[in-house]
């Protein structure tokens, strides 16, 4: 008898955007304006390939020894994933010089984010086709390789929790990192300027307007964060703030280790924090500058409070109103400096 689990029916649909919203995205300066689909009823903006992969994501089988890292984009995902990897690989940290973060951890969203994965010269696709010559790229390269991966996995996603398998928290540990919306907005804007995928050509004020209108990729920001915040007391969810990591990394690593039931000395925590420091991560990234994982400018500033350098007084007033309106039904409090 097969022990395959029965697939869960997907409790949402994925739809195209109305022409009016596509025009608005174009007017703001999004080059990828036509390449957006939206979940219904949750209204999460994703790339078109998500339409046929929604079932695969919703039914992706987590395992008890997985560590899942869930974040809204630009909230410190790469930093936290390097920390999680270092906690699991303390005796062999030099391996981080041999393989990029993206090869030591699994970013499952790549399967719908990368345009035309089958056509481009992506080494991940080639690796997949070498392993599975008959494999179907359109079914998700990272998803299928993750499924076949033996041993504990570190899985990263920006998908909000209700788009993932509802067995997630009953199965494995999840770490959620939140970052204040002002700095997320600034960081996302800069990323949009350098990223082929997000391709943004407008002004910062236009981007901020789109962000507050929940129109950027992975928006709405507040639903994403609030969903995880509501689950913060769940034994299998650990909620962390980027700003707290900046203020007291050792204290945050200690809490994280406790959640993971790992025992480290203070000296070991220091080693982990230094291994994952902004400077070290940036220079490792730059050393593989000729490699496929390199995005110049990905490690931008790594600071809290950059909004102050980017926004006018008028925009700050609008953002503060937006934050206040969206904070009515939650007790989540962010640090902005
Ligand atoms: P900035 O653009 O504000 O510099 P993500 O990995 O979720 O995409 O988040 C990217 C943000 O995290 C960027 O923010 C990046 O510089 C910052 N970051 C990456 N590594 C970091 C580290 N080790 N310490 C602090 N910030 C880091």
């Amino acid at each position: 008898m097969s022990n395959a689990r029965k697939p869960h029916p997907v409790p949402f649909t994925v739809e195209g955007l109305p022409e009016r919203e596509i025009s608005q995205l174009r007017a703001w300066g999004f080059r990828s304006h036509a390449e957006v689909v939206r979940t219904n009823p949750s209204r999460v903006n994703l790339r078109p390939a998500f339409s046929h992969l929604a079932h695969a994501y919703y039914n992706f089988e987590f395992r008890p020894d997985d560590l899942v890292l869930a974040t809204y984009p630009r909230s410190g995902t790469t930093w936290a994933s390097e920390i999680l990897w270092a906690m699991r690989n303390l005796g062999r940290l030099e391996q981080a010089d041999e393989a990029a973060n993206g090869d030591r951890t699994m970013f499952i969203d790549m399967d719908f984010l990368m345009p035309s994965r089958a056509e481009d010269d992506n080494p991940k696709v080639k690796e997949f086709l070498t392993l599975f010559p008959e494999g179907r790229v359109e079914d998700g390269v990272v998803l299928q390789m993750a499924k076949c991966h033996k041993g504990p996995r570190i899985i990263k996603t920006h998908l909000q929790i209700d788009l993932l398998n509802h067995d997630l928290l009953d199965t494995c540990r999840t770490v959620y990192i939140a970052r204040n919306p002002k700095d997320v907005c600034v960081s996302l804007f800069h990323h949009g300027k350098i990223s082929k995928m997000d391709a943004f050509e407008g002004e910062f004020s236009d981007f901020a307007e789109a962000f507050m209108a929940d129109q950027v990729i992975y928006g709405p920001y507040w639903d994403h964060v609030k969903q995880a915040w509501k689950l913060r007391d769940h034994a299998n969810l650990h909620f962390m703030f980027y700003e707290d990591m900046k203020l007291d990394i050792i204290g945050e690593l200690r809490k994280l280790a406790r959640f993971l039931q790992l025992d480290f000395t203070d000296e070991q925590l220091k080693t982990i924090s230094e291994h994952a420091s902004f400077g070290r991560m940036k220079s490792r990234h730059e050393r593989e500058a000729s490699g496929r994982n390199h995005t110049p400018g990905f490690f931008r500033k790594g600071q809290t409070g950059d909004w102050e350098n980017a926004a006018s007084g008028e925009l700050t007033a609008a953002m503060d109103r937006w934050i206040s309106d969206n904070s009515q039904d939650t007790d989540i409090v962010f640090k902005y400096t």
Side-chain angles (χ1 to χ4, degrees):
M1 208 173 84
S2 158
N3 60 0
R5 292 186 214 169
K6 212 167 145 231
H8 303 300
V10 179
F12 54 87
T13 56
V14 185
E15 295 160 12
L17 261 51
E19 188 50 47
R20 167 178 49 81
E21 293 191 34
I22 294 177
S23 311
Q24 176 62 74
L25 286 171
R26 192 183 297 126
W28 273 320
F30 290 93
R31 251 197 291 145
S32 47
H33 51 267
E35 291 165 19
V36 181
V37 291
R38 182 174 294 155
T39 62
N40 183 10
S42 46
R43 301 182 61 79
V44 180
N45 305 312
L46 299 165
R47 296 289 177 224
F50 188 77
S51 308
H52 74 267
L53 287 171
H55 184 268
Y57 281 100
Y58 195 72
N59 281 282
F60 181 81
E61 289 188 9
F62 294 102
R63 304 177 195 150
D65 59 357
D66 284 337
L67 281 181
V68 175
L69 178 60
T71 57
Y72 192 85
R74 306 303 286 175
S75 298
T77 327
T78 319
W79 183 16
S81 67
E82 193 64 42
I83 289 169
L84 292 176
W85 180 85
M87 285 187 163
R88 277 194 164 170
N89 293 276
L90 192 54
R92 39 182 187 271
L93 295 183
E94 69 289 348
Q95 287 182 2
D97 294 325
E98 313 301 322
N101 175 289
D103 289 330
R104 290 175 282 118
T105 60
M106 297 172 191
F107 182 43
I108 53 176
D109 301 17
M110 277 327 275
D111 286 332
F112 67 86
L113 287 178
M114 287 281 281
S116 325
R117 298 240 13 195
E119 292 143 46
D120 74 19
D121 210 19
N122 192 301
K124 269 245 151 59
V125 175
K126 285 190 184 153
E127 189 187 339
F128 170 74
L129 290 173
T130 308
L131 287 170
F132 309 99
E134 306 297 321
R136 282 166 46 92
V137 170
E138 57 276 25
D139 290 346
V141 164
V142 184
L143 282 171
Q144 294 180 80
M145 289 190 28
K147 196 170 165 186
C148 296
H149 183 87
K150 305 252 183 301
R153 306 175 294 187
I154 296 174
I155 296 172
K156 300 188 282 201
T157 183
H158 297 317
L159 290 172
Q160 62 180 43
I161 287 175
D162 67 357
L163 301 182
L164 297 169
N165 193 321
H166 64 234
D167 295 343
L168 170 68
L169 293 185
D170 294 329
T171 310
C172 61
R173 291 189 174 88
T174 295
V175 176
Y176 187 90
I177 315 284
R179 187 180 192 187
N180 82 62
K182 289 181 171 175
D183 290 339
V184 163
C185 182
V186 176
S187 184
L188 258 182
F189 163 71
H190 286 287
H191 193 250
K193 290 276 178 194
I194 58 169
S195 147
K196 270 188 273 173
M197 288 183 248
D198 295 332
F200 182 73
E201 292 172 337
E203 300 297 323
F204 176 61
S205 53
D206 294 327
F207 188 89
E209 196 181 318
F211 179 71
M212 289 187 274
D214 299 333
Q215 294 283 346
V216 304
I217 205 78
Y218 289 108
Y221 167 88
W222 287 104
D223 287 351
H224 201 293
V225 174
K226 285 177 190 174
Q227 268 185 28
W229 183 245
K230 280 193 187 137
L231 293 163
R232 69 191 179 283
D233 294 327
H234 192 291
N236 266 348
L237 187 115
H238 184 63
F239 196 104
M240 298 170 76
F241 289 96
Y242 178 95
E243 295 77 20
D244 291 342
M245 292 165 70
K246 288 294 297 179
L247 282 173
D248 175 16
I249 186 65
I250 297 293
E252 290 304 310
L253 292 186
R254 201 172 285 128
K255 286 188 242 168
L256 178 60
R258 205 176 307 133
F259 168 70
L260 299 174
Q261 296 184 328
L262 295 171
D263 243 344
F264 295 115
T265 62
D266 285 356
E267 199 52 41
Q268 287 172 321
L269 291 181
K270 192 161 166 267
T271 303
I272 293 164
S273 78
E274 284 167 0
H275 170 84
S277 70
F278 182 81
R280 293 250 197 114
M281 287 183 66
K282 185 173 178 185
S283 66
R284 274 198 295 274
H285 189 66
E286 276 161 8
R287 257 181 277 137
E288 51 125 15
S290 54
R292 63 195 155 98
N293 290 295
H294 188 252
T295 309
F298 184 91
F299 292 88
R300 199 181 58 91
K301 288 193 177 175
Q303 291 167 7
T304 299
D306 199 31
W307 171 270
E308 298 303 325
N309 303 316
S312 65
E314 201 185 333
L315 188 55
T316 298
M319 178 57 113
D320 286 342
R321 269 195 308 277
W322 183 70
I323 292 171
S324 164
D325 289 348
N326 282 286
S327 299
Q328 302 298 322
D329 61 348
T330 178
D331 55 356
I332 190 166
V333 177
F334 287 103
K335 296 186 176 81
Y336 291 93
T337 52

